[in-house]
Amino acid sequence: MKLLVLLSFAVLAPCGQAENFDFMIGEWERTNEGAGKRTFETWVKQNDFTYLGHSYTLQGADTVWQEHTMLSPIAGVWHLQVRLMGETQSTDFKITQSDDGSFTCENPQNEFPKTIRYQRAGAELHAEISGGGDPVAFLFAPVDK
């Protein structure tokens, strides 16, 4: 009987362990962007197993770059899925480390980047992409509304 109860729970439970990526929720503006550009990143929590992100860069009034991201379990393992502007399929990065204020994800087969890291640093959000090219740091401050 105990085995049946355990099996029932395993079948009914959502895939993956609930992780806490709430430290990313909000609207952020990149503070180390190149001259003449402004980059924004927004994260919302859809439910305990899905976080949605949207990033875009403006040059003047024109959107010159954007991507959509999703943090969620795939086959029980958390991934960051990145879909760039104009692409129909995402590039998936497996979460290899996480805690309440940071995570690292990797995709060794991706040309660049191979590693993406996010970390909350006080009121700021820091990100870095690396592997397969020169590392790029993204420093974000919360957008005042």
Side-chain angles (χ1 to χ4, degrees), residues 49-128:
F49 295 94
T50 307
Y51 293 80
L52 301 175
H54 178 231
S55 305
Y56 61 96
T57 299
L58 299 175
Q59 189 162 7
D62 296 327
T63 301
V64 295
W65 173 88
Q66 73 174 315
E67 71 180 10
H68 292 275
T69 49
M70 181 168 59
L71 273 167
S72 65
I74 298 175
V77 178
W78 280 84
H79 284 75
L80 175 68
Q81 297 174 273
V82 180
R83 186 173 48 84
L84 296 174
M85 178 169 61
E87 294 186 3
T88 57
Q89 290 192 327
S90 66
T91 301
D92 299 346
F93 294 82
K94 179 182 176 183
I95 304 287
T96 56
Q97 177 279 325
S98 68
D99 58 36
D100 284 342
S102 70
F103 73 87
T104 301
C105 55
E106 299 177 357
N107 179 339
Q109 286 73 45
N110 196 47
E111 186 176 335
F112 179 81
K114 296 182 183 304
T115 303
I116 300 172
R117 177 164 173 76
Y118 276 88
Q119 180 177 9
R120 186 69 181 257
E124 296 181 339
L125 182 64
H126 296 180
E128 181 180 87

